[in-house]
Amino acid sequence: MTVHLHVQSCYSLLDSTIRIRELVSQAKSMGYKAVALSDHRVMSGMAAFLHACRDAGIKPIAGLQADCDYHGTTVTFLLICGDNIGYQNLMQLSSLLCTQDGPCTLAQLQQACAHNTLIVYGEGGWMDHILLSANEHRREINEMLGVLQEDFPSFYVALSYQESALWNNSNRILKNICRSRGIRTVALNKIFYLQEEDVYAYQALCAIAAHGTLQDPGLSLQKGRSFLSPQQMEALYDQDDLDATEEIAAMCTADYRLPPAGLPAFPVPAGFTSRTYLEQLCKAGLHKRMHGHVTKEYADRLKMELGVIEHMHFEDYFLIVYDYVRFGRTHGILIGPGRGSAAGSLVAYCLGITMVDPIPYHLLFERFLNPERVSMPDIDTDFMDTRRQEVIDYVAEKYGHDHVGNILTFQNFGAKAALRDTARLQRMSQNDIDFLIRQIPSSTVSLTLQQAYDQKARFRQLVTSEKKYADVYALAKKIEGLPRNMSIHPAGVILSGRKLSEEVPLIDMGSGLYTSQYEMGYLQERGLIKMDLLSLRNLTTIDNIVKHIQKTDPDFSLKKMSLEDSRIYALFAKGDTAGVFQFESQDMKRLLRQMQPKCFEDIVAAIALLRPGAMGHINEYMENRKHPEKIQYPSPELKPVLADTYGIMLYQEQTMLTAQIAAGFTPGRADLLRKAISKKNAHAMAGMKNDFLQGCLHHGYTQKGAEALWATIETFGAYGFNKSHSVAYAVISCQMAWLKAVYPRPFYSCLLDSVVIDSRKSALYIDECRRKGIEIYPPCINRSEQGYTDEGKGLRMPLNCVKDVGRSAVSILDEREKNGPYQDLFDFTARMGLYRINRHIIENLINAGALDLFKANRATLLASMEAAQRYAQIVQINNGDNISLNLGLVSKPELVQTKESRRDRILKEKEALGFTLGNDEILSVKKYLHIHDPSIAAILDSYGQTVQSFGQIVSVIPKTSKSGRAYCRLLVSDGMSDVTINVWPSDYAQLKDSLAPGIYVRFHGKMGDNGAVQADKLATVHRE
């Protein structure tokens, strides 16, 4: 028997097709008792590999290919783990290779060899360049082996590529020389893919990595690198070399179970322990929250929670989170009121980690931290997206950069990316690539290639119609799901009591902190605590609105808002929630108009109702809400639990409370039941069902009633929403709704600033501003500022909303501040030459209306650009490194007067802004005819949903179906955005004569995956 010691997985990015579980499964099926994973420089796949081997009952062997600066040459060596200390040495070597530039030093490699086995490559190693002519270089080989023996007390020399006649001969000579020097050799089949037929997919990955194609002459073929069976290995290698693989595997005694890392100790004041300090902070915080009147209910709840935290030894965790949240709040960083199940903790509320009192809303601590389910606490905290990094920097400075790190994530090849890359590799034309990609719809649920083939007839027909598409599809399926790139987890930060390099392999991703090579799912078992510090753009928007209001009302604070303010719920009831956190979708607006919320609990419920599963009970909820007297509760004692949601078990907390009240479950066991149901864990549910039924019988339920209650919990618990999260996020939603209702101008100004690079969102919000009487003025080089600003009856757009302007906007504003307003096109162009702002940017500014103040039409300004650039070159004075202007050198040229087409002006404006500000006529028609349909911008992302809107026909394109029937494609605009509408033969036959550019239409239909509406209703509209 033998052992494969050189297996490279897909975590050696774009250099292997091997998935971890498939590797282990193949090794097991071929009868191997052990297998190694030896990726190049990285150990990202090691944790998954260890799990997969344990599950399969096969011995895992950790390995690493390490690049070393060996006597002036970069040489790759292979290290195989010897024991747990060796495993840690491998992790530290991988960290070193991935956090410094270039290879490791000889001394660093020698240090890593301790408790590990070193293998020196023949093929692909230090001696590779002379081995192919080994017979003529025996002396040099002998000398190089002598140098290796001086540097390393013990090593093996690898014999590989044995199936090649050339290498077979070289390996024989190398083995004889090694034997003469007392050096052992070992059989080493280098493996980059599992099956020989996977070589083509492997070559595709190599071509993608090289930004080349499959036809590139320099592309390595790398044949014969598949996972060979023991019999195939025996046919290629000498028995003693095969025995050496088993010898090396046997020397690996590592169980890879290292002591857990644990958290850093929080530095408490003198005279305190973590426990006593936490208790004092909580009691002081509760006294402050309750204004000195602490009731028994609150005191008991706090005592219970602290008892659980202390029993589970999580005091330092809470103190660490308390400390960085406190840092944020005291430094003016807006932090969310809470997120996830942590909002159910009174301790978190007392510490100021959350701003939600859990008791009035019946939020449960056990949903967050369950004494009967030992798991790490998980407090997620939202920060302003512009200042989150300040908090991370604070944590790193406090506990040490070598104790704080980021978490790695991988971007895998999705269906479309795999198709696009493989099509490019095969030199398919861009038009063909785009056509192929369009057959896979864009949707919230990403389809695999197989799912697209099974479910989408047009895609399937295309793949089966031509060989070039079939070849691309087959190759794309091979690489789909493999990792393509690495990135940093957007929220997670890990903390360690010991240095991170002792716990996990690290990599430098350029963020200022090192990043764990292991993905998030494997960190908890190492005892590493993940802190989720999330960015939330809405918090930045709220903070900007508050600062905007404070310019005229310095004493303003969000604390002035009351959750009982009727203006909040009036806005929600109208569905006037564009820009309001979590309430912007058309479905949510419809729900709000149907619900007519009157209080905060209604907003909490709305967030939970519009979730998969719960949506199916909206009608029942509404009916019960309308007729509460008809609600039939399972029992009187459950009415307080279900009354707020009108008899519907909407929240996970209701499931837990029901189990406690009806069946006598402890709070902890009720949470275990909740988790089992939500995870659809049939085994765990079966184990608890009988206890639940018996508990109900003991509490007076009939067998039938108990069964019915279990069925209710089983049904509703599967999709029940976390009420703690819903309550916390409803606070943010209400804050934004209140600001919108009471301070609309600051609200829209800051909201538009937050989406300045998103033309669709900008169009949506600008359309709403105009409907509410807030004018939107185009960007202006003499009036615009950094963001949207108050002006006249509305808001002035900033310059950076214009396509490609970006950072040039700062230069334009700086120059205006230094030398005064711009006088005309020629003055502006000349002054922009000092900042290397090119003609393309100036033309975009013209098309966006930023130079309309010069009282010439845009066509004239564009036609005059040639003269303006000549003038700018003449008046520019170059003095070495300094450039200045002498505007008096020559007189300014005349403008080239040009007639302007209104259509061209609108099209160019749309190109420059992503939308148009122009057509006020459409807005006035909508108002006159009392049409309240959503704007086109509001429906553009509603893929797969039924939509309705209003606009003006821009163009009519007649089409003919395959069956010979006439239909048409309309381009419809509402003055800001446009959409394509397909009008099918039956409707087109009736409306054909009335469909023409300039005609107003209302349309209804399903938004297709390609962004076109398939109209089922279309009506022309005429203003009387």
Side-chain angles (χ1 to χ4, degrees), residues 4 108 115 253 265 286 505 607 677 757:
H4 283 302
Q108 290 166 335
H115 298 268
T253 59
L286 182 60
I607 292 171
I677 293 173
I757 61 172

Side-chain angles (χ1 to χ4, degrees), residues 70 126-130 139-149 155 181:
Y70 191 64
W126 191 37
M127 299 174 285
D128 179 275
H129 64 292
I130 57 174
R139 183 174 58 82
E140 291 95 323
I141 294 170
N142 192 53
E143 289 174 354
M144 294 175 83
L145 287 171
V147 173
L148 285 162
Q149 284 183 304
F155 62 90
R181 298 192 66 92

Side-chain angles (χ1 to χ4, degrees), residues 538 540-553 556 579 735-736 738-754 765 769 774 776 787-791 793-795:
N538 299 84
T540 306
T541 302
I542 291 172
D543 188 66
N544 289 337
I545 296 168
V546 169
K547 287 182 170 65
H548 194 296
I549 296 168
Q550 287 172 342
K551 291 176 184 177
T552 54
D553 182 3
F556 176 78
Q735 287 173 340
M736 296 198 79
W738 182 72
L739 290 168
K740 182 175 184 178
V742 183
Y743 299 95
R745 283 269 284 274
F747 176 86
Y748 283 113
S749 176
C750 297
L751 181 66
L752 284 162
D753 278 340
S754 73
Y765 298 146
C769 284
I774 300 174
I776 300 295
Y788 281 80
T789 49
D790 289 329
E791 183 176 325
K793 296 181 179 180
L795 302 170

Side-chain angles (χ1 to χ4, degrees), residues 278-287 294 296-310 345-348 350-351 359:
L278 178 64
E279 287 179 358
Q280 176 169 304
L281 288 174
C282 286
K283 288 175 181 177
L286 182 60
H287 190 268
V294 179
K296 185 176 185 300
E297 181 182 18
Y298 279 84
D300 289 348
R301 171 73 171 258
L302 181 62
K303 182 179 179 181
M304 178 275 292
E305 291 192 15
L306 285 171
V308 172
I309 292 167
E310 291 162 7
S345 167
L346 184 63
V347 166
C350 293
L351 292 173
I359 290 178

Side-chain angles (χ1 to χ4, degrees), residues 668-703:
R669 188 139 198 249
D671 179 62
L672 294 176
L673 175 61
R674 182 273 314 165
K675 186 177 182 183
I677 293 173
S678 63
K679 299 290 185 183
K680 297 181 172 60
N681 185 334
H683 177 73
M685 287 166 62
M688 283 187 270
K689 180 177 180 180
N690 185 62
D691 291 345
F692 180 88
L693 296 177
Q694 291 301 315
C696 287
L697 293 174
H698 181 73
H699 284 77
Y701 284 79
T702 64
Q703 182 71 31

Side-chain angles (χ1 to χ4, degrees), residues 621-819:
Y621 175 92
M622 294 302 173
E623 184 63 25
N624 289 355
R625 181 182 172 91
K626 191 184 298 181
H627 302 289
E629 72 282 357
K630 295 182 180 180
I631 301 172
Q632 293 186 350
Y633 295 99
S635 65
E637 64 265 27
L638 291 180
K639 182 175 180 180
V641 175
L642 302 173
D644 285 342
T645 52
Y646 304 97
I648 305 295
M649 201 173 287
L650 189 58
Y651 306 120
Q652 294 170 352
E653 287 84 347
Q654 290 172 312
T655 301
M656 294 169 63
L657 286 169
T658 297
Q660 293 174 55
I661 293 169
F665 275 29
T666 64
R669 188 139 198 249
D671 179 62
L672 294 176
L673 175 61
R674 182 273 314 165
K675 186 177 182 183
I677 293 173
S678 63
K679 299 290 185 183
K680 297 181 172 60
N681 185 334
H683 177 73
M685 287 166 62
M688 283 187 270
K689 180 177 180 180
N690 185 62
D691 291 345
F692 180 88
L693 296 177
Q694 291 301 315
C696 287
L697 293 174
H698 181 73
H699 284 77
Y701 284 79
T702 64
Q703 182 71 31
K704 184 177 180 181
E707 295 270 6
L709 189 56
W710 173 264
T712 300
I713 286 180
E714 196 173 20
T715 300
F716 285 86
Y719 60 76
F721 194 61
N722 183 347
K723 188 179 183 183
S724 297
H725 183 73
S726 198
V727 167
Y729 266 26
V731 172
I732 302 176
S733 302
C734 287
Q735 287 173 340
M736 296 198 79
W738 182 72
L739 290 168
K740 182 175 184 178
V742 183
Y743 299 95
R745 283 269 284 274
F747 176 86
Y748 283 113
S749 176
C750 297
L751 181 66
L752 284 162
D753 278 340
S754 73
V755 296
V756 73
I757 61 172
D758 185 336
S759 60
R760 284 193 177 186
K761 285 281 191 183
S762 293
L764 174 66
Y765 298 146
I766 287 172
D767 179 66
E768 181 164 297
C769 284
R770 294 167 67 186
R771 285 191 282 110
K772 292 191 172 186
I774 300 174
E775 292 291 334
I776 300 295
Y777 305 112
C780 175
I781 57 172
N782 278 348
R783 292 178 181 169
S784 291
E785 300 293 346
Q786 285 280 13
Y788 281 80
T789 49
D790 289 329
E791 183 176 325
K793 296 181 179 180
L795 302 170
R796 173 71 66 180
M797 297 174 70
L799 296 175
N800 62 343
C801 67
V802 180
K803 183 179 179 182
D804 297 334
V805 169
R807 295 291 300 168
S808 297
V810 176
S811 301
I812 297 170
L813 298 180
D814 286 348
E815 170 61 21
R816 191 180 76 200
E817 179 69 22
K818 290 176 188 173
N819 298 307

